[in-house]
Amino acid sequence: MGGDDGTLEFYTREAEQYAEFSAGHSPTDIMDAFADLVPAGGTVLDFGCGSAWAANRFQGMGFVVSGFDGSAGLAEQARARYGIDVAVGRFEEFSDIQAYDGIWASFCLLHDSRAALPGHLTRLQQALRPGGALYVGLISGDGEQRDGFGRLYTYFSEVEMRRALEAAGFSILDVKLTPGKRYDGAPIEELHLYARKA
C-alpha cells in the first residue's frame, strides 16, 4: 500500500474477509497475457498482492513468485492460505533492483495519490531485469474518491497511463478495457496495461 492510511486500515481490518473474496478469482485472459511475456520459470513479483491469490496462480504456472503489500493482515492470509511469504511495506519503501522478470501490479496503484504514481512506476522499472514485463491494472476514469469502506481510488485514463509508463522507461505492449465490479459491487471499466522495460 502507498501513502493512504484509510485504505491500509481497511485492508488490515478486513484481511480475512477480503482474502476470502479474492480467493474466488480464477485464471483469466488478463493473467495469461502477462504470463506469456515472462520467460518460463522466471521470477514474478505480485506487487500490492493482498492475500497473494495471483501469486499463487502464477506459482502454479511454474514461475518463482514473491509478494509485496502494505497490509500485515493480508500478508498473514497469504502465508496461511497459500504458503507465500509477503514482504510488508508501503509502496514508497519498495527498493528491489533488477530482481524480477515480471511484475504484476493489479489494482493496487490506484489506492495512492496521482502525484505518487511516477515514483511508484520508477521503482517498478528499477526492480525489473532488462526486458522485464509489467502489468498494471487500474480503473479507467478521472479524479479520485473514497468508496463506502473508506478506501481511496484514483482513476486514470489510457492516455495518461501511456505517458506515465513511457516517462518511467517502459515501452507499451498492449492496452485492454474490460467491464468489472469493485469489492463494493459498483460497476467499473477496468484498464489493463502491459509494458516492457525499455
Side-chain angles (χ1 to χ4, degrees):
M1 200 62 53
D4 184 64
D5 290 335
T7 304
L8 184 56
E9 288 169 4
F10 165 82
Y11 284 112
T12 297
R13 183 180 66 249
E14 303 290 330
E16 186 172 356
Q17 294 89 334
Y18 192 80
E20 187 64 29
F21 163 79
S22 300
H25 288 272
S26 299
T28 64
D29 292 344
I30 299 298
M31 297 182 78
D32 292 341
F34 169 75
D36 288 343
L37 301 174
V38 182
T43 54
V44 171
L45 173 66
D46 189 354
F47 186 78
C49 64
S51 62
W53 65 269
N56 181 58
R57 304 298 171 108
F58 289 128
Q59 186 169 254
M61 295 178 186
F63 297 111
V64 178
V65 302
S66 301
F68 185 91
D69 199 81
S71 169
L74 283 173
E76 291 174 6
Q77 289 294 316
R79 285 189 289 272
R81 290 171 180 267
Y82 308 118
I84 294 174
D85 288 326
V86 173
V88 177
R90 291 180 180 260
F91 290 170
E92 58 267 25
E93 297 170 338
F94 179 68
S95 60
D96 291 356
I97 301 295
Q98 293 195 14
Y100 307 102
D101 297 307
I103 296 178
W104 172 265
S106 180
F107 297 90
C108 56
L109 296 177
L110 50 66
H111 285 316
D112 209 342
S113 68
R114 177 168 270 98
L117 180 69
H120 295 331
L121 292 179
T122 295
R123 281 183 281 276
L124 295 180
Q125 196 266 6
Q126 292 172 345
L128 283 167
R129 297 187 176 114
L134 174 70
Y135 163 79
V136 177
L138 298 164
I139 297 176
S140 179
D142 55 57
E144 62 181 47
Q145 68 175 146
R146 291 192 183 274
D147 68 4
F149 299 102
R151 297 179 298 173
L152 175 67
Y153 278 89
T154 301
Y155 304 110
F156 298 92
S157 70
E158 177 181 340
V159 170
E160 180 180 12
M161 285 305 302
R162 283 180 177 272
R163 290 173 177 165
L165 285 164
E166 289 170 354
F170 289 98
S171 298
I172 309 298
L173 300 176
D174 196 11
V175 179
K176 302 178 187 295
L177 289 167
T178 63
K181 287 185 179 181
R182 290 192 318 210
Y183 179 58
D184 61 4
I188 57 174
E189 183 175 50
E190 298 178 352
L191 175 62
H192 309 276
L193 302 109
Y194 301 84
R196 195 174 293 283
K197 182 172 181 174

